[in-house]
């Protein structure tokens, strides 16, 4: 895997060559954590799908900057809560992406899946950013192969 240490000093940009990958973000022990993940990001940065999770349990999945396909498949902005009281303080985000579906596991306990709509097949960029000054940790990134490879 590719591994990186991150902090509030700047984003980590990953450039997978395919839209199938696994990302594990392990956060430092801090209740003020907040992480912002852009997936299916275009080279220009104009198009992407955003996942934001913070230490209070707020989860936002934002498809407003995707290309717009799938507008009839539900809201472009989805918000929820992962219940830190039930699942523990935010410590890890494990994300699997296959080009159109993101499977997200928070603390390997709370889970959800959402559809995404990359602008083009080559929109494979991933950006991980701390959205709080206190956020930091490690990330590991693996490209995945389709079953036919």
């Amino acid at each position: 895997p590719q591994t990186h240490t991150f902090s509030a000093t700047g984003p980590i940009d990953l450039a997978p060559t395919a839209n199938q990958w696994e990302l594990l973000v392990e956060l430092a022990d801090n209740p003020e954590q907040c992480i912002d993940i852009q997936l299916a990001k275009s080279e220009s940065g104009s198009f992407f799908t955003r996942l934001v999770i913070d230490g209070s349990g707020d989860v936002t999945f934002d498809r407003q900057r995707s290309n717009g396909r799938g507008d009839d498949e539900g809201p472009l902005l989805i918000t929820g809560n992962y219940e830190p009281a039930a699942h523990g303080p935010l410590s890890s985000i494990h994300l699997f992406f296959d080009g159109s579906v993101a499977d997200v596991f928070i603390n390997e306990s709370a889970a959800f899946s959402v559809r995404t709509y990359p602008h083009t097949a080559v929109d494979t960029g991933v950006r991980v950013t701390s959205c709080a000054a206190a956020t930091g940790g490690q990330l590991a990134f693996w490209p995945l192969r389709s079953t036919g490879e």
Side-chain angles (χ1 to χ4, degrees), residues 88-145:
L90 181 60
S91 62
S92 70
I93 300 161
H94 204 161
L95 195 149
F96 296 87
F97 185 66
D98 76 352
S100 65
V101 175
D103 295 314
V104 181
F105 299 85
I106 302 171
N107 294 351
E108 302 296 338
S109 176
F112 64 93
S113 295
V114 289
R115 292 284 313 257
T116 64
Y117 299 95
H119 182 62
T120 68
V122 296
D123 293 345
T124 60
V126 180
R127 173 175 274 190
V128 179
T129 306
S130 164
C131 47
T135 302
Q138 303 286 319
L139 69 83
F141 181 86
W142 298 264
L144 300 175
R145 294 186 307 237

Side-chain angles (χ1 to χ4, degrees), residues 20 145-149:
Q20 296 145 326
R145 294 186 307 237
S146 61
T147 57
E149 293 180 25

